[in-house]
Amino acid sequence: MCGIFGYVGKKPAAPILIEGLKTLEYRGYDSAGIFVPGFGVVKSVGPIANLEKKITSDIKGDSGIAHTRWATHGPPTELNAHPHLDMSGSVALVHNGIIENFRELKESLVVQGVTFKSDTDTEVLIKLIGSLYAGNLYEAVKNALKRVRGTYGILVQDEHRPDVIVAARMGSPIVLGVGADGNFVSSDPSALLTHTKKVIYLNDGECAVIKKDSYEILNLAGKKLQKNPETVEWDLESVQKQGYEHFMLKEIFEAGEVIESTIRGRLILEKGKVRLGGMDAVLPKLASLNRLVIVGCGSAYYAGQVGRCMLEEYAGLPVEVELGSEYRYKRNLSDKKTAVLAVTQSGETADTLASLRSAKKLDLLTLGIVNVVGSTIARETDAGVYNHAGPEVAVASTKAFISQLVVFAMLTVLIAREKGMSQAEAKKILDELNALPSVIKKYLSDTKDIKKIAKKYSGYKNAMYIGRKFHAPIASEGSLKLKEVTYIHAEAFAGGELKHGSIALLDKDFPVIAIAPKDDVYEKMISNIEEVKARSAPILAIATEGDSHITDVADDVIFIPKVHPILQPIVSTIPLQLLAYYVGVEKGLNVDRPRNLAKSVTVE
Ligand code: F6R
């Protein structure tokens, strides 16, 4: 995710800003920039090293603001990188978060003659601040923020007042570092630690006016607040992991926030509609497709398989799901009413990209569900949806997979509504999707049982995952997670398929993880579990809260909350991710960096 850093003190600011940005690199970014009063803005695309090369020794100011950008609105270009400037060119802003009402704010500014250079929501905010600026920067920021809907962590600085940085927070972290000869501010305490351990966290709705030897915390009503610094005891790495032992655990626990940001601004609840801006231009074509081919690799492929269940069941759209590594070499028999949808976290996976290009050669409509904005696949598809899941640091995909399922649920409603799904039915799904982040956050607030169960299952050499319908691909995803981070041999099957061969593997040393929520195939899953039980295999079931029958057939049960059937696979995935994580940790393995794997597979 984007990173923010600011400094006002007695030393040359540029090297301090660059060092600050380097500490934020672990969060992922695609472009970066700094603003030093008196010397203006310097930006670059790609690694911080590119920016560093542009910083000349004559940039001598002793304050400034800096940013690493993870593109959301508009591709990763210098024009879109932060800092952005107001109309006068002298007030600069760096911003994390999303201004949801940026379109309407932009329209009202355009009427006043304000012009825009970038595609970003951030430029709208600084132009708004600039339009309200009459000598007091805090007042201008405060008045602008009163008109803003969305999330932000911001720093603002005026060329003519190099001794002041104004910071504000709503939903996106801002923390002050109180130093001996200067003050610091960042979106992430890890960037402050080399300078100071004394920090002040801003709460939502709070602003800070930061000078080199003082600071003031105020709220948006202008009231001064008394906040004392606290001491950070963590070292750098633990701060980056925000207290979690591993990035994988942190990313699993981010599921609630990830869903929030994937759906933000995209659900029109009262109308039972979904707005996916990147699909607007192709919507009529989507509704009249004969067939959709989903292409992906690994977890993204399994997300595609869940997507197929959603699209076929609720939108009546025939779907095929293909592995990127296969589709690219197959004879392609698609007609012109077939579209190809690439699902990819990185947007750079070589096999998925090659499949996309082979579809383009046949002149098929190409679409993407992509997390990394501006990545090759995002650029080469005709239309698409960004996940907005933020960067994934751990090699094994967790939060991106959750976000892919969320996008599929939204895409399903989008297409289904075009094909006749009633407003009431759509509203039911979307209301539940809107409530899902809080359901998941509540679920994640107590996972100690999963940890205990993981300990018990960590001694086995094999495991078999079974599920049916929506949960057959979730079984595959669960087994992939276990393989990746624990090196336990795991297989996955649709529950009804076991008896056609693989059941021969089972005995008391071969546990079965059965995903059996209360859905329309629950009874069938129970029969499959009984078959497994008869072969003495230990059974761990993932079942719906309140299911009293499941404990009769399973040895262990992880209960999950019941949600709308289209969303149930999202919830069922989380305990499987945690199970793999805790087993890996129990075995003393490097769960964030499993052997033989790379985060982005850019070779064939
Ligand atoms: C599994 C995992 C991989 C990726 C696959 C596709 O945990 O991370 O299976 O899902 O390599 O990567 P993307 O989504 O970047 O195309």
Side-chain angles (χ1 to χ4, degrees):
M1 277 316 222
C2 307
I4 281 180
F5 190 82
Y7 168 68
V8 45
K10 296 174 185 159
K11 297 181 186 161
I16 295 177
L17 296 176
I18 293 291
E19 282 315 306
L21 292 184
K22 282 184 180 166
T23 342
L24 297 171
E25 276 187 302
Y26 81 99
R27 298 164 64 90
Y29 64 102
D30 44 52
S31 51
I34 67 167
F35 169 77
V36 175
F39 298 89
V41 169
V42 187
K43 301 181 191 183
S44 76
V45 174
I48 304 289
N50 293 355
L51 179 66
E52 204 170 3
K53 279 188 211 136
K54 290 184 166 181
I55 309 285
T56 53
S57 55
D58 56 331
I59 304 182
K60 288 197 168 62
D62 49 16
S63 71
I65 58 177
H67 191 261
T68 48
R69 175 172 187 254
W70 169 267
T72 54
H73 291 72
T77 58
E78 270 188 29
L79 215 52
N80 287 332
H82 304 201
H84 287 279
L85 296 171
D86 76 332
M87 276 295 275
S88 75
S90 60
V91 187
L93 166 75
V94 292
H95 165 225
N96 287 357
I98 293 178
I99 307 299
E100 285 169 17
N101 59 336
F102 83 102
R103 282 191 193 84
E104 67 202 64
L105 293 172
K106 191 169 181 175
E107 277 162 24
S108 68
L109 288 164
V110 167
V111 172
Q112 295 168 38
V114 176
T115 54
F116 293 86
K117 293 183 180 142
S118 76
D119 308 315
T120 64
D121 51 339
T122 303
E123 191 186 1
V124 175
L125 179 55
I126 187 58
K127 296 257 156 103
L128 177 64
I129 292 171
S131 75
L132 300 169
Y133 189 25
N136 183 328
L137 191 56
Y138 160 71
E139 284 294 324
V141 169
K142 183 186 83 175
N143 291 332
L145 293 180
K146 283 183 182 160
R147 296 179 53 189
V148 158
R149 230 179 30 247
T151 56
Y152 52 78
I154 58 167
L155 302 184
V156 191
Q157 198 173 23
D158 176 5
E159 173 89 7
H160 307 296
R161 288 291 315 274
D163 57 327
V164 182
I165 294 173
V166 176
R169 170 197 162 125
M170 180 64 73
S172 193
I174 288 288
V175 52
L176 264 64
V178 183
D181 29 56
N183 287 319
F184 304 82
V185 57
S186 181
S187 51
D188 186 328
S190 64
L192 304 173
L193 283 184
T194 47
H195 304 287
T196 178
K197 292 206 156 198
K198 280 166 59 185
V199 302
I200 299 175
Y201 292 90
L202 291 195
N203 292 326
D204 282 350
E206 290 179 355
C207 299
V209 178
I210 308 160
K211 298 184 178 168
K212 68 169 174 278
D213 38 27
S214 68
Y215 57 85
E216 221 171 43
I217 316 287
L218 304 105
N219 64 17
L220 286 178
K223 185 171 179 281
K224 285 189 192 157
L225 307 169
Q226 183 57 42
K227 289 185 96 157
N228 295 323
E230 49 189 284
T231 306
V232 180
E233 303 292 357
W234 297 340
D235 61 20
L236 188 66
E237 209 195 51
S238 17
V239 175
Q240 289 180 340
K241 290 178 189 153
Q242 291 171 13
Y244 290 100
E245 207 181 326
H246 297 98
F247 283 108
M248 183 178 173
L249 188 63
K250 171 177 169 277
E251 287 162 4
I252 296 170
F253 271 82
E254 276 170 3
E257 286 94 54
V258 164
I259 299 170
E260 263 161 13
S261 82
T262 305
I263 63 175
R264 183 169 294 123
R266 289 168 160 176
L267 311 184
I268 312 167
L269 296 176
E270 62 290 355
K271 293 189 179 154
K273 289 213 155 187
V274 169
R275 179 176 43 214
L276 297 174
M279 290 290 191
D280 279 353
V282 297
L283 194 50
K285 278 194 191 162
L286 287 186
S288 62
L289 286 178
N290 282 343
R291 199 163 62 119
L292 178 70
V293 179
I294 300 173
V295 182
C297 301
S299 295
Y301 171 73
Y302 298 135
Q305 288 187 325
V306 181
R308 171 174 58 193
C309 294
M310 294 178 179
L311 286 158
E312 290 188 337
E313 189 90 11
Y314 291 91
L317 176 65
V319 178
E320 279 172 31
V321 191
E322 297 272 5
L323 289 166
S325 52
E326 289 296 305
Y327 182 81
R328 61 185 295 187
Y329 294 118
K330 278 187 170 173
R331 182 172 168 204
N332 198 321
L333 299 174
S334 303
D335 62 20
K336 292 282 176 238
K337 288 194 123 194
T338 300
V340 173
L341 168 64
V343 184
T344 168
Q345 187 286 128
S346 62
E348 304 293 348
T349 300
D351 286 323
T352 309
L353 178 59
S355 297
L356 179 76
R357 286 178 176 163
S358 78
K360 279 179 93 79
K361 267 197 201 137
L362 294 180
D363 223 12
L364 301 180
L365 175 68
T366 58
L367 311 165
I369 296 178
V370 183
N371 193 34
V372 178
V373 175
S375 55
T376 311
I377 293 177
R379 281 185 276 114
E380 294 197 11
T381 40
D382 298 314
V385 186
Y386 281 124
N387 290 94
H388 298 319
E392 219 173 32
V393 177
V395 166
S397 186
T398 53
K399 64 177 186 172
F401 180 79
I402 294 290
S403 167
Q404 284 159 354
L405 301 192
V406 171
V407 172
F408 269 120
M410 290 192 293
L411 188 62
T412 300
V413 174
L414 181 80
I415 298 176
R417 287 288 273 140
E418 294 295 308
K419 291 169 72 95
M421 178 187 266
S422 73
Q423 177 170 334
E425 190 181 354
K427 186 167 169 17
K428 210 161 158 245
I429 295 173
L430 299 182
D431 281 344
E432 285 216 35
L433 180 54
N434 197 41
L436 197 57
S438 51
V439 172
I440 299 232
K441 284 180 194 173
K442 182 161 175 268
Y443 176 67
L444 281 168
S445 65
D446 182 9
T447 56
K448 53 184 183 307
D449 283 357
I450 305 180
K451 200 170 176 177
K452 238 189 274 163
I453 288 171
K455 199 168 181 155
K456 178 170 167 190
Y457 284 79
S458 63
Y460 291 103
K461 291 202 161 45
N462 301 290
M464 185 176 288
Y465 285 67
I466 57 171
R468 298 189 76 139
K469 227 174 141 178
F470 281 80
H471 291 92
I474 297 300
S476 302
E477 172 59 10
S479 87
L480 179 63
K481 283 294 91 84
L482 194 79
K483 280 183 271 205
E484 284 179 296
V485 302
T486 74
Y487 314 147
I488 292 175
H489 164 237
E491 306 215 18
F493 292 95
E497 182 60 18
L498 278 191
K499 57 185 174 293
H500 297 290
S502 311
I503 202 163
L505 289 168
L506 299 181
D507 62 16
K508 65 175 184 20
D509 297 318
F510 206 130
V512 172
I513 292 91
I515 305 143
K518 279 263 171 125
D519 58 13
D520 57 349
V521 286
Y522 173 74
E523 301 296 337
K524 303 288 167 200
M525 267 307 290
I526 293 294
S527 307
N528 298 142
I529 295 174
E530 298 279 10
E531 288 159 14
V532 165
K533 199 177 167 70
R535 273 75 189 179
S536 310
I539 297 159
L540 165 58
I542 311 295
T544 306
E545 276 163 5
D547 179 351
S548 51
H549 175 59
I550 196 82
T551 38
D552 299 339
V553 287
D555 300 284
D556 296 286
V557 183
I558 298 173
F559 286 105
I560 51 170
K562 186 171 176 64
V563 294
H564 192 286
I566 195 173
L567 307 176
Q568 195 65 58
I570 302 171
V571 179
S572 319
T573 301
I574 290 174
L576 299 177
Q577 295 175 342
L578 282 170
L579 181 71
Y581 169 79
Y582 286 127
V583 172
V585 170
E586 183 63 28
K587 294 181 75 175
L589 298 170
N590 183 350
V591 288
D592 279 343
R593 298 265 170 273
R595 68 187 182 203
N596 307 340
L597 298 179
K599 182 69 190 158
S600 182
V601 187
T602 52
V603 290
E604 194 182 348

